[in-house]
Amino acid sequence: MLPTGCAGCRRRGPAVRRGFCPACADALEALRPAPARPEPAPPDLPPCHALGPYAGELREALLAYKERGRHGLARPLGALLAEVVAVAVGGVARPVLLVPVPDTAAAARARYGDHLTRVARHAGDRLRAAGWDARTATPLRALPRPDSVALDRAGRAAAAESAFRLRARSAAAGDGRVVVVLDDILTTGATLAAVSRTLRRTGMTPNVAAVLAATQKWR
């Protein structure tokens, strides 16, 4: 069998470990979380931090994980997302509740599971290993909606507005924890804003959002 290629540059070789060649691993580890906010930002979008721009090795890694079935990347991506969470909440270990944006049922079937929940659980593992009191919750379910790739800003906002519901028998409460909404890519912010509004109506107010990549200009 051929060796698995690097998720960042697609090169094949025995040096690939945990999905990445040494050069791509170094490039990802060199990224530093920073504030990211689309312009204009939608109402109710919480303060957001991103690991880096949606480009280069990070973009390729996300595409490999989401679209090419590289499920083993959930662990290294989770470790990277944990770094974003730590910076987003201030860098000091605090009790946090991680709430990943859910996949629709159709997307979860196509990807053999909710891709972001897998990453969120690994992020929680990494935070706990570093001494954080971190929990992961999935209080929301995603309703069917159009593929956001084909939508403009207004279309994304309209699709996101009614896209999420509280799960049956789900207790939405932060229990005094910092509530961190997680997503993979920040584009217009419509999805994160819609998730935040839905959570707020159930008594769980998001404090910050953490994402792996941002497509918009940072500020």
Side-chain angles (χ1 to χ4, degrees), residues 17-60:
R17 297 186 61 185
R18 295 187 179 182
F20 299 99
C21 69
C24 288
D26 289 345
L28 291 172
E29 290 174 2
L31 295 173
R32 294 293 179 264
R37 199 160 186 84
E39 299 178 3
D44 301 314
L45 178 67
C48 183
H49 278 67
L51 178 66
Y54 185 55
E57 296 87 357
L58 184 56
R59 177 180 182 274
E60 288 301 315

Side-chain angles (χ1 to χ4, degrees), residues 12-213:
R12 296 183 181 273
V16 173
R17 297 186 61 185
R18 295 187 179 182
F20 299 99
C21 69
C24 288
D26 289 345
L28 291 172
E29 290 174 2
L31 295 173
R32 294 293 179 264
R37 199 160 186 84
E39 299 178 3
D44 301 314
L45 178 67
C48 183
H49 278 67
L51 178 66
Y54 185 55
E57 296 87 357
L58 184 56
R59 177 180 182 274
E60 288 301 315
L62 287 170
L63 288 174
Y65 174 58
K66 292 175 61 176
E67 310 300 340
R68 301 179 193 132
R70 296 284 298 272
H71 297 160
L73 296 175
R75 184 182 297 275
L77 290 175
L80 293 171
L81 188 56
E83 295 181 17
V84 184
V85 172
V87 173
V89 302
V92 178
R94 301 168 63 186
V96 295
L97 185 68
L98 309 179
V99 183
V101 173
D103 268 341
T104 63
R109 286 193 299 270
R111 294 167 178 161
Y112 298 95
D114 190 306
H115 79 287
L116 196 59
T117 297
R118 281 195 299 260
V119 172
R121 287 172 179 159
H122 285 296
D125 290 342
R126 176 58 68 95
L127 289 167
R128 285 188 292 273
W132 291 63
D133 179 0
R135 295 182 184 174
T136 303
T138 55
L140 302 180
R141 63 185 181 92
L143 305 180
R145 60 184 185 273
D147 187 345
S148 61
V149 173
L151 300 177
D152 59 13
R153 181 180 294 272
R156 286 173 182 261
E161 187 59 35
S162 58
F164 303 100
R165 292 289 185 274
L166 187 68
R167 291 184 184 277
R169 301 179 182 177
S170 178
D175 295 327
R177 295 171 177 270
V178 177
V179 178
V180 186
V181 182
L182 306 179
D183 206 353
D184 50 3
I185 304 167
L186 171 66
T187 304
T188 65
T191 296
L192 287 172
V195 166
S196 297
R197 282 191 292 272
T198 304
L199 291 174
R200 189 177 294 116
R201 287 195 293 268
T202 65
M204 183 189 295
T205 300
N207 300 97
V208 294
V211 304
L212 286 165

